[in-house]
Amino acid sequence: MSRIHRQLPPKGTKIGLAFSGGLDTRCAVAWMSRQGLDVHAYTADLAQPDEASPADIPTIALTHGAKVARLIDCREAMVREGLVAIQCGAFHLGVGGKKYFNTTPLGRAVTATAIVRAMKDDGVDVFGDGSTHKGNDIQRFYRYGILVSPALHIYKPWLDQAFVSAFGGRKEMSEYLEKVGLPYKMGTEKAYSTDSNVLGATHEAKDLERLETSMKIVEPIMGLAHWKTDVRIEAEEVTIDFAQGLPVGVNGKDHGSLLALFLECNRIGGRHGLGMSDQIENRVIDAKSRGIYEAPGMALLHVAYERLVSAIHNESTTDQYVTFGRRLGRLCYEGKWFDPEAMMLKDALTRWVAPSITGQVKLELRRGDDYTIVSTKAEHMAYGPDKLSMEKVAEPAFTPEDRIGALEMQSLSVTDNRALILHHLSSVKRLAAEKPLSKLPIGDE
């Protein structure tokens, strides 16, 4: 059974660390290795847009004291899980129609499972990462880690009071690295922090914790700042082709792999600032936080996919798609993407909704989320213009006489409902007269 170390494991212990190459994980590697631990650093290549070359990061871990440092290619896996999320509509957060595409939760599902599998191959049984006790990631990394390896032990430096007391902030971590001969050159301090992968970027903390601070302080890393009036953005038409629920072409071109296709969608959506949103969310500890999100490729594919869903499937199916998708989105957010309840929902949506999604959507993209759907084509559609055409058709789907019968049949439920409402109101009046409701024990009353 998994256990969490409250303090540093014994000297000589092999420990696997999810290593990003930033100040905090550099400090963790330097400190743990100098405390006698055998640090194995694992860096996930997520095609993260804020890294010029993820392949260079493991070398940094070695120079800071890691015994072993490995790069794990997670790019295809990231795109695969992102497309499953699109197929399922697994997005529970949204404000005014703008969605958060769960890009960080999906990234943790891929990263943690890949790293722990690599650790098992290396005979490493203690797992650590840079997440803090206030966030969601500490739960996500923990759940995915022990899902892969139930006997996995956990040591997170930011849960060890000794580490936290020694390195309370960036200043203390930078001073420590300077002291051990590994100076960290801090660039210009941003007013927020950023985490990213091929699916999207998350900006949060610092100045963004204040709701009076708008997303305009963010410098996008996946596209253009569409709110800047001096940024020129030309309108552009783009066609997305789907076959059995998966994107297979962009502007008529087969890109050879889902990863290459997705990167092209990021480029197209990015040059319009598509898919940026400002969200207030409930963290897994039931306290609210705020984030600014980018996801140009996810947004582009999501619009096209949902357009086809609405044209192809009936209302009851689309209703289930929305209901199941929202629930699945929250499970993903909580670090439960591979739990049985999530697998059940994914199976239903990918088996009964996605396979029928074969068609093409053409859109005109302008600035931000300003776009127009130009045309929709599909191999099969529940939508048919002749069914409800306002013009005369040779063989109408139904006649005025049919509609009269359908309306009169509804009188049964309408009159039953009317009688029930009247009965309910009468019952409530009697209840109020005979047995007043007790006062609730709230406050000083």
Side-chain angles (χ1 to χ4, degrees), residues 280-283 285-290:
I280 295 175
E281 60 209 69
N282 273 349
R283 287 188 173 174
I285 55 174
D286 216 11
K288 291 186 182 292
S289 64
R290 186 265 191 110

Side-chain angles (χ1 to χ4, degrees), residues 143-188:
R143 291 185 65 88
Y144 293 128
I146 61 175
L147 184 66
V148 174
S149 180
L152 191 70
H153 283 221
I154 309 295
Y155 173 73
K156 295 177 182 286
W158 285 264
L159 288 182
D160 182 346
Q161 190 58 52
F163 183 89
V164 173
S165 297
F167 308 107
R170 294 177 64 82
K171 178 177 179 292
E172 291 82 2
M173 288 188 284
S174 182
E175 288 173 350
Y176 174 75
L177 291 178
E178 181 81 34
K179 180 180 177 182
V180 298
L182 297 166
Y184 178 79
K185 184 179 179 181
M186 290 195 290
T188 303

Side-chain angles (χ1 to χ4, degrees), residues 43 92 111 119 224 236 292 317 346 423:
T43 299
H92 68 296
T111 301
M119 286 171 52
L224 298 178
E236 173 184 7
I292 306 298
T317 301
K346 283 188 282 187
H423 171 70

Side-chain angles (χ1 to χ4, degrees), residues 182-246:
L182 297 166
Y184 178 79
K185 184 179 179 181
M186 290 195 290
T188 303
E189 186 76 6
K190 292 192 304 181
Y192 52 89
S193 64
T194 297
D195 182 87
S196 70
N197 58 55
V198 68
L199 302 183
T202 296
H203 310 286
E204 61 183 4
K206 300 180 184 177
D207 288 5
L208 288 176
E209 291 174 350
R210 307 293 178 184
L211 295 183
E212 60 269 23
T213 302
S214 80
M215 69 188 295
K216 291 184 178 182
I217 72 165
V218 172
E219 289 295 332
I221 63 173
M222 300 186 74
L224 298 178
H226 61 83
W227 55 85
K228 293 184 177 180
T229 57
D230 61 338
V231 173
R232 186 174 179 82
I233 302 176
E234 298 290 343
E236 173 184 7
E237 284 195 352
V238 56
T239 59
I240 307 294
D241 291 291
F242 276 86
Q244 295 179 294
L246 288 174

Side-chain angles (χ1 to χ4, degrees), residues 328 331-332 336-347:
L328 179 58
L331 290 172
C332 176
K336 300 175 182 177
W337 186 241
F338 299 123
D339 280 21
E341 57 266 43
M343 300 297 284
M344 180 176 67
L345 294 173
K346 283 188 282 187
D347 185 69

